[in-house]
């Protein structure tokens, strides 16, 4: 029975994925209009959402991961899943009790004074229960769902098949997405969240890092009762920080609260180390005395010291208009895929960063956005997940600040916190400030003459390269589309031959698959060869 459920789950995942591939290919072959494409992606987004809620488990986390990758999928698809949250019924108490006793190696009665058998929170991976330790301490007990380990194996096996298929056959417009890296990042993020020992260590780190901060509480943890599947923490009462009625009733100074909130998160975004990647209102609470409470450190991002230095160097390069260095730093940060042409990226940066804002106001913004999107699709750019999480963290806190203190501009809230951060004893920050001063309008005369000479020729080279790249790439993509159709027909033929008991049909279909695979290999080889030639041409 258990085996049958596993096969059904895998079949459900794979059948949806391949159905999605076929529909997208069919639309590309028939050259549907942009409006019809939007309708298709919206329908696929709804179907994907329904599939996630039907199968639950780790797939909910997969959906949440995909929902933040707006750089990879159309907005009409992302819109259907961007507010995806865990709405999963809690497990039977007996199953949770078995997990606790297995992890603790003891009966619940010997560990806890009491426990509420109804979950106070229930998500796709874990559930939270309220209990009391033997000494009367109130605790929150986070327990991993019993079915998660087996579901994870099935889901990742299915996703591995889908990723392999996408790597070879997906009709991706820009053709440069590193699917293997995407799968690796997805697996890393979910596996990290499944290991409660990692969350325990993260909580320890945050408690130590923010210990000097006034009116900030991070739950204490109890390592003696915590394992890879159970996390026992201090129970803290609080209200969502966005509950403005509570803020007014408790007479909490909203402006001061907003300042404290940004001072907690700003260092996380600007300095090396881990940052809270999921600071939604349910994880950021406030007490009646204005104390901020941070919860749930299962999903975190990490900015390495190298990343932090590269970011500062990137800012300096942009301020000094050193676009060659800026392109190289973007490559080192992982924003450019292997084989990316740095010259094209350099010219794109120059175009975007030297754009006259006054002229922009007079342009058709929708046309500009479409042109920019088309250009980006022709470039080998893929944002690393750690920076997607960083952006998501910033946008979420920005929304909180607007709710807490709606009468003040976001920049006015951030400015004093940023100024204080800049002046707190780090010489590199002062170097950054000097670089910024050097880039002010009064110093721009030193950069202008060379730009006036170089700009027209470089823009022409960039435009021609992009147009030629897009033209030839579409030819190779059409060849791949045709081989996919042959491949799909071959698969259908094999199953039809087996079902109808026509061995000849199965053999002929097998031959068709072999021919289509050979054509695909040749087309891929020719495409790679062409890309190398294009890179050499653009460099020189």
């Amino acid at each position: 029975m258990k085996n049958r459920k596993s096969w059904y789950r895998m079949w459900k995942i794979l059948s949806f994925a391949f159905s999605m591939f076929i529909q997208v290919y069919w639309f590309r072959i028939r050259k549907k209009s942009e409006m019809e494409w939007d309708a298709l992606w919206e329908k696929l987004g709804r179907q994907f959402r329904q599939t996630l809620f039907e199968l639950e488990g780790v797939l909910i986390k997969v959906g949440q991961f995909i929902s933040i990758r707006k750089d990879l999928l159309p907005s009409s698809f992302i819109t259907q899943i961007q507010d995806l949250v865990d709405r999963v019924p809690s497990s039977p108490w007996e199953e949770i009790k078995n997990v606790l006793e297995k992890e603790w190696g003891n009966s619940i009665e010997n560990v806890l004074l009491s426990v509420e058998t109804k979950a106070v929170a229930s998500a796709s991976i874990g559930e939270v229960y309220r209990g009391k330790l033997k000494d009367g301490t109130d605790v929150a007990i986070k327990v991993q769902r019993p079915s998660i380990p087996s579901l994870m194996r099935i889901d990742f096996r299915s996703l591995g098949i889908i990723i392999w298929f996408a790597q070879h056959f997906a009709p991706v417009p820009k053709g440069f997405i590193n699917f293997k890296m995407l799968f690796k990042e997805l697996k890393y993020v979910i596996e990290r969240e499944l290991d409660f020992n990692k969350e325990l260590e993260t909580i320890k780190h945050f408690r130590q890092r923010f210990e000097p901060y006034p009116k900030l509480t991070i739950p204490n943890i109890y390592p003696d009762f915590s394992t890879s599947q159970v996390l026992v923490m201090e129970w803290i009462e609080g209200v969502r920080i966005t509950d403005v009625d509570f803020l007014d009733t408790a007479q909490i100074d909203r402006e001061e609260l907003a300042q404290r909130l940004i001072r907690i998160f700003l260092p996380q975004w600007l300095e090396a180390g881990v940052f809270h990647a999921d600071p939604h209102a349910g994880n950021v609470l406030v007490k009646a005395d204005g104390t901020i409470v941070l919860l749930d450190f299962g999903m975190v991002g990490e900015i390495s010291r190298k990343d932090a230095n590269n970011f500062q160097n990137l800012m300096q390069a942009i301020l000094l208009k050193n676009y060659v260095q800026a392109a190289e730093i973007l490559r080192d940060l992982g924003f450019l895929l292997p084989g990316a042409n740095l010259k094209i990226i350099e010219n794109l940066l120059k175009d975007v960063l030297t754009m006259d804002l006054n002229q922009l106001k007079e342009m058709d913004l929708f046309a500009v956005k479409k042109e920019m999107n088309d250009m980006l699709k022709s470039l080998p750019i893929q944002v690393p997940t750690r920076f997607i999480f960083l952006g998501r963290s910033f946008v979420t806190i920005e929304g909180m600040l607007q709710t807490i203190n709606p009468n003040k501009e976001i920049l006015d809230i951030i400015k004093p916190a940023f100024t204080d951060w800049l002046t707190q004893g780090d010489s590199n920050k002062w170097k950054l400030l000097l670089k910024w001063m050097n880039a002010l309008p009064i110093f721009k005369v030193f950069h202008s003459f060379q730009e006036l000479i170089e700009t027209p020729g470089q823009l022409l080279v960039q435009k021609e390269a992009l147009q030629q790249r897009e033209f030839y790439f579409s030819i190779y993509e059409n060849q791949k589309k045709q081989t996919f159709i042959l491949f799909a027909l071959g698969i259908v033929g094999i199953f039809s031959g087996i079902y109808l008991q026509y061995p000849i049909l199965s053999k002929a279909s097998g031959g068709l698959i072999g021919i289509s695979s050979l054509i695909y290999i040749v087309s891929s080889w020719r495409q790679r060869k062409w890309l190398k030639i294009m890179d050499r041409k653009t460099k020189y």
Side-chain angles (χ1 to χ4, degrees):
M1 184 69 178
K2 187 177 180 181
N3 232 10
R4 188 179 299 174
K5 285 184 177 180
S6 299
W7 279 109
Y8 171 78
R9 185 180 184 87
M10 181 176 282
W11 175 83
K12 190 78 176 176
I13 296 170
L14 293 177
S15 63
F16 172 78
F18 291 131
S19 169
M20 180 174 169
F21 280 131
I22 290 169
Q23 290 181 72
V24 171
Y25 260 117
W26 181 243
F27 262 56
R28 286 177 69 85
I29 292 167
R30 297 178 65 189
K31 296 181 179 179
K32 293 288 188 176
S33 67
E34 190 172 339
M35 186 179 297
E36 289 173 309
W37 271 107
D38 284 341
L40 172 67
W41 282 112
E42 187 176 335
K43 182 188 78 171
L44 291 174
R46 285 197 304 270
Q47 291 175 351
F48 182 58
R49 186 187 183 95
Q50 290 167 2
T51 302
L52 294 182
F53 283 129
E54 178 186 344
L55 298 179
E56 298 177 351
V58 179
L59 283 184
I60 297 286
K61 288 297 173 187
V62 173
Q64 291 173 340
F65 178 88
I66 292 174
S67 71
I68 66 173
R69 296 309 308 253
K70 297 180 181 179
D71 56 321
L72 300 181
L73 287 165
S75 57
S76 47
F77 181 92
I78 295 294
T79 301
Q80 298 301 313
I81 61 172
Q82 64 185 1
D83 61 342
L84 195 64
V85 294
D86 295 339
R87 297 193 188 99
V88 185
S90 57
S91 303
W93 169 247
E94 283 303 314
E95 292 183 9
I96 295 297
K97 182 181 178 183
N98 290 338
V99 173
L100 289 171
E101 293 185 338
K102 179 184 175 183
E103 292 297 304
W104 285 339
N106 210 331
S107 67
I108 285 184
E109 291 75 18
N110 290 335
V111 178
L112 301 175
L113 187 64
S114 64
V115 61
E116 296 177 9
T117 58
K118 184 179 180 182
V120 295
S122 180
S124 58
I125 288 178
E127 304 174 28
V128 179
Y129 294 81
R130 184 172 184 174
K132 283 182 183 290
L133 297 179
K134 286 293 187 178
D135 62 2
T137 304
D138 283 322
V139 290
I141 307 165
K142 185 175 179 180
V143 188
Q144 191 174 109
R145 285 179 173 272
S147 58
I148 285 297
S150 60
L151 292 182
M152 183 182 72
R153 286 192 295 271
I154 297 166
D155 293 350
F156 279 133
R157 197 176 301 140
S158 304
L159 289 171
I161 295 171
I162 293 168
I163 289 294
W164 179 88
F165 190 87
Q167 183 80 27
H168 293 85
F169 297 103
V172 180
K174 65 180 179 181
F176 297 109
I177 293 177
N178 191 332
F179 285 101
K180 288 183 180 178
M181 181 60 69
L182 189 65
F183 180 63
K184 185 179 177 182
E185 290 179 340
L186 169 63
K187 194 173 181 183
Y188 172 78
V189 168
I190 293 178
E191 284 181 343
R192 181 185 176 94
E193 195 167 353
L194 285 170
D195 187 352
F196 290 177
N197 282 325
K198 286 187 170 61
E199 184 173 353
L200 183 146
E201 292 302 319
T202 303
I203 294 173
K204 282 183 180 179
H205 168 79
F206 270 86
R207 282 178 60 83
Q208 183 178 1
R209 181 178 182 182
F210 291 100
E211 187 178 7
Y213 281 61
K215 301 184 79 171
L216 170 64
T217 296
I218 296 171
N220 190 17
I221 38 99
Y222 298 91
D224 292 343
F225 305 108
S226 299
T227 69
S228 62
Q229 295 185 41
V230 177
L231 182 61
V232 181
M233 302 164 285
E234 173 188 8
W235 179 272
I236 300 176
E237 295 285 355
V239 176
R240 288 172 178 251
I241 199 169
T242 52
D243 188 337
V244 292
D245 292 335
F246 174 79
L247 298 180
D248 292 339
T249 302
Q251 296 183 336
I252 296 172
D253 186 333
R254 291 208 212 173
E255 186 171 345
E256 190 264 344
L257 181 65
Q259 272 297 312
R260 282 193 288 114
L261 181 62
I262 193 62
R263 287 171 190 273
I264 292 168
F265 279 90
L266 194 65
Q268 297 181 46
W269 302 329
L270 298 175
E271 298 172 5
V274 295
F275 61 88
H276 199 306
D278 193 24
H280 61 74
N283 291 336
V284 184
L285 310 181
V286 63
K287 294 182 178 183
D289 64 354
T291 297
I292 296 173
V293 181
L294 289 187
L295 303 174
D296 195 353
F297 295 86
M299 187 179 290
V300 295
E302 184 172 0
I303 300 297
S304 67
R305 193 168 297 279
K306 182 180 178 182
D307 284 340
N309 290 335
N310 274 331
F311 260 126
Q312 292 197 7
N313 291 335
L314 178 63
M315 194 177 297
Q316 292 173 12
I318 290 173
L319 292 173
L320 292 174
K321 300 183 181 296
N322 188 342
Y323 302 114
V324 174
Q325 184 186 8
E328 291 173 351
I329 294 170
L330 285 173
R331 178 196 59 198
D332 293 340
L333 284 167
F335 282 90
L336 308 181
L337 296 180
N341 190 313
L342 294 184
K343 192 68 177 177
I344 292 177
I345 303 300
E346 174 193 336
N347 291 332
L348 179 64
L349 287 171
K350 182 176 290 188
D351 285 351
V352 173
L353 297 173
T354 58
M355 186 176 290
D356 189 337
L357 294 180
N358 291 323
Q359 290 181 358
L360 186 63
K361 292 176 183 177
E362 299 171 3
M363 296 179 184
D364 182 347
L365 294 182
F366 290 104
V368 170
K369 182 182 178 184
K370 185 179 185 303
E371 188 174 341
M372 288 297 293
N373 285 338
D374 291 341
M375 180 178 287
L376 288 174
K377 284 179 180 178
S378 67
L379 297 172
I381 295 174
Q382 181 170 305
V383 184
T385 298
R386 64 188 185 279
F387 298 123
I388 293 284
F389 281 156
L390 189 68
R392 180 192 186 195
S393 178
F394 175 79
V395 169
T396 307
I397 294 300
E398 181 188 13
M400 288 184 187
L401 294 173
Q402 289 177 333
T403 301
I404 295 168
N405 197 7
N407 299 322
K408 199 161 188 177
E409 293 289 335
I410 293 297
L411 287 177
D412 291 335
I413 297 174
I414 295 176
K415 187 177 178 181
F418 179 75
T419 303
D420 288 348
W421 174 83
L422 199 63
T423 57
Q424 283 173 358
D426 188 338
S427 60
N428 288 328
K429 297 173 187 175
W430 285 107
K431 290 178 185 176
L432 180 62
L433 184 60
L434 290 173
K435 297 283 187 181
W436 173 76
M437 290 176 63
N438 185 48
L440 289 173
I442 191 172
F443 297 105
K444 284 186 178 179
V445 67
F446 298 109
H447 309 293
S448 59
F449 294 108
Q450 186 178 356
E451 289 172 10
L452 286 172
I453 295 170
E454 293 179 353
T455 298
Q458 290 179 346
L459 287 177
L460 185 60
V461 170
Q462 179 188 0
K463 185 176 180 180
E464 289 177 352
L466 289 176
Q467 287 176 344
Q468 188 177 7
R469 197 181 187 96
E470 184 177 351
F471 173 73
Y472 280 102
F473 191 82
S474 65
I475 292 175
Y476 291 116
E477 281 299 292
N478 285 333
Q479 289 177 354
K480 288 184 179 181
K481 275 187 238 172
Q482 292 164 4
T483 60
F484 172 80
I485 295 170
L486 291 175
F487 187 87
L489 288 173
I491 291 175
V492 171
I494 286 177
F495 282 107
S496 299
I498 294 171
Y499 180 76
L500 298 173
Q501 296 183 345
Y502 289 159
I504 295 176
L505 178 59
S506 296
K507 290 178 181 178
S509 299
L512 188 62
I513 290 175
I515 293 171
S516 64
S517 300
L518 181 62
I519 295 173
Y520 178 84
I521 291 170
V522 172
S523 298
S524 298
W525 174 79
R526 291 178 64 189
Q527 186 180 43
R528 285 195 297 272
K529 185 177 178 182
W530 167 76
L531 284 171
K532 289 179 182 177
I533 294 171
M534 283 295 297
D535 284 342
R536 285 199 296 269
K537 282 184 178 180
T538 314
K539 284 177 182 176
Y540 299 105

